[in-house]
């Protein structure tokens, strides 16, 4: 069996390469847009993204590599999801998303904010899985990593980069953190986010958020929103503050080992999806937690 791994982060690339081996792949090809990955795969595919082009469009350069593979594992990033969808369409199949476990029977994924699970496979003989960080075991990754250049193939109607805006960099990556303090629309003012930052700092964790805090008011970078169209996090502790618990958000958080919710509405749906719930005003609860730690 042959596998193609597509990732944005070197550590997740290793994990997915390990996952491909666990599935029984005897040949693993790997492309990582976020840096060199050595000793993790048989082949390393170098896709040079031309200036002005988008990584999202890399699917077209990878069609031949995907066609040569039986299984394609794609890191569940925003760009990865675009690449996986386009590649699956080119292969005449569908991509299985939100995969939290890979098995020979298919990918186990969660749905409806984690209240349901199912195992699914792409139709046909080629499998395309979108897999989150932390799902596969990197220790199984191995290989000589023979380098191969892959020519860029521009899409028929490529998106054009019309400008670049430097984004605010965050101190810690929530996809890697053991503790994530996640802020939602319950935060009434941007400066109140400091309360979440203080708690995260005290716990050695990272900040994340629900989508309205990025795309609605632009208080935090889009890389930080958790959910079906954002990132998937798998921390030991997820503190959801001022988040109602809509399924589109929870699907990205429900693999956290422990979820604590802080919400002033005792009927908020999040209280049905958490291990511990605190009914109260986050403006009082978060500073109190920070002070108590
Ligand atoms: C196709 C699609 C994709 C989507 N993808 C995503 C996604 O990937 N990620 C995502 O997050 N969302 C996503 N959404 C949006 C999602 O449906 C919800 O609208 C969003 O998650 C709600 O964010 P929230 O919980 O922060 O806000 P709200 O639902 O408005 O909840 C705010 C909560 O804060 C509480 N609150 C208010 N004030 C306080 C206070 N002072 N102290 C404590 N609690 C307080 C309220 O009681 C309420 O429960 C998507 C929607 C669609 C249609």
């Amino acid at each position: 069996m042959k596998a193609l791994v597509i990732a944005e982060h070197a550590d997740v690339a290793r994990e997915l390469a390990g996952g491909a081996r666990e599935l029984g792949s005897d040949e693993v090809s790997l492309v990582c847009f976020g840096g060199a990955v050595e000793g993790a795969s048989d082949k390393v595919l170098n896709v040079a993204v031309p200036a002005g082009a988008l990584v999202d469009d890399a699917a077209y350069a990878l069609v031949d590599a995907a066609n040569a593979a039986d299984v394609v594992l794609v890191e569940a990033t925003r760009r990865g999801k675009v690449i996986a969808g386009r590649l699956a369409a080119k292969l005449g199949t569908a991509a299985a998303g939100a995969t939290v476990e890979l098995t020979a029977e298919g990918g186990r994924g969660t749905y409806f904010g984690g209240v349901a699970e199912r195992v699914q496979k792409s139709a046909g003989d080629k499998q395309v899985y979108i897999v989150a960080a932390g799902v596969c075991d990197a220790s199984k990754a191995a290989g000589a990593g023979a380098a191969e250049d892959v020519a860029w193939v521009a899409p028929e109607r490529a998106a054009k980069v019309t400008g670049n805006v430097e984004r605010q960099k965050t101190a810690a990556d929530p996809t890697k953190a053991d503790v994530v303090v996640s802020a939602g629309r319950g935060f009434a003012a941007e400066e109140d986010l400091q309360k979440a930052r203080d708690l995260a700092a005290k716990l050695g964790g990272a900040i994340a958020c629900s989508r309205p805090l990025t795309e609605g008011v632009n208080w935090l970078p889009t890389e930080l929103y958790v959910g079906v169209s954002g990132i998937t996090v798998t921390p030991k502790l997820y503190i959801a503050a001022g988040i109602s618990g809509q399924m589109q958000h929870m699907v990205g958080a429900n693999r956290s080992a422990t979820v604590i919710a802080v919400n002033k509405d005792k009927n908020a749906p999040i209280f049905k999806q958490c291990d511990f719930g605190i009914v109260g005003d986050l403006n009082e609860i978060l500073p109190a937690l920070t002070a108590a730690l």
Side-chain angles (χ1 to χ4, degrees):
M1 189 167 90
K2 292 184 180 178
L4 170 65
V5 166
I6 303 168
E8 269 197 73
H9 301 99
D11 49 350
V12 185
R14 278 184 188 284
E15 290 176 12
L16 299 191
R21 294 287 185 209
E22 279 194 298
L23 281 177
S25 306
D26 42 27
E27 187 183 302
V28 178
S29 301
L30 183 153
V31 52
C32 179
F33 295 102
V37 184
E38 286 166 11
S41 59
D42 302 292
K43 288 185 196 169
V44 171
L45 308 183
N46 297 314
V47 182
V49 183
L54 298 174
V55 170
D56 312 47
D57 286 336
Y60 305 99
L62 292 168
V63 173
D64 287 347
N67 260 319
D70 304 289
V71 61
V72 181
L73 303 182
V74 188
E75 182 183 350
T77 59
R78 283 156 55 84
R79 293 188 188 99
K81 289 173 189 175
V82 173
I83 293 172
R86 288 180 180 171
L87 261 186
K90 285 278 178 194
L91 296 176
T93 185
T99 302
V100 296
E101 188 186 4
L102 279 171
T103 68
E105 286 70 45
R108 186 169 63 83
T110 56
Y111 291 86
F112 306 120
V115 296
E117 279 188 1
R118 69 180 167 213
V119 176
Q120 66 178 27
K121 268 187 147 175
S122 308
D125 55 0
K126 289 193 187 299
Q127 303 303 311
V128 181
Y129 294 114
I130 300 168
V131 187
V135 167
C136 300
D137 181 1
S139 69
K140 301 276 191 311
E148 216 172 84
D149 290 335
V150 176
W152 183 255
V153 177
E156 264 178 50
R157 294 182 190 83
K160 210 167 130 193
V161 179
T162 55
N164 285 303
V165 180
E166 190 136 344
R167 301 304 302 260
Q168 174 190 340
K169 287 267 182 269
T170 49
D173 179 351
T175 65
K176 310 278 169 358
D178 280 346
V179 178
V180 173
V181 179
S182 199
R185 206 148 45 180
F187 283 77
E190 187 175 2
E191 53 269 26
D192 292 341
L193 287 174
Q194 193 55 43
K195 295 171 182 130
R197 290 196 177 97
D198 289 345
L199 180 57
K202 201 67 173 275
L203 291 163
I207 284 284
C209 61
S210 64
R211 191 163 89 168
L213 261 63
T214 65
E215 294 184 349
V217 290
N218 209 15
W219 289 350
L220 287 166
T222 46
E223 304 83 75
L224 290 190
Y225 85 79
V226 172
V228 66
S229 32
I231 56 169
T232 300
V233 294
T234 54
K236 292 180 180 151
L237 175 61
Y238 188 78
I239 302 178
I243 290 177
S244 58
Q246 300 303 315
M247 70 169 80
Q248 292 91 351
H249 180 81
M250 294 311 290
V251 78
N254 58 26
R255 289 191 65 238
S256 309
T258 301
V259 175
I260 297 179
V262 179
N263 198 302
K264 68 178 184 184
D265 174 8
K266 68 176 171 42
N267 296 315
I270 188 102
F271 286 129
K272 293 205 169 81
Q273 306 170 71
C274 66
D275 300 283
F276 302 96
I278 304 173
V279 180
D281 186 338
L282 64 87
N283 294 299
E284 292 164 16
I285 306 292
L286 298 192
L289 287 174
T290 307
L293 284 163

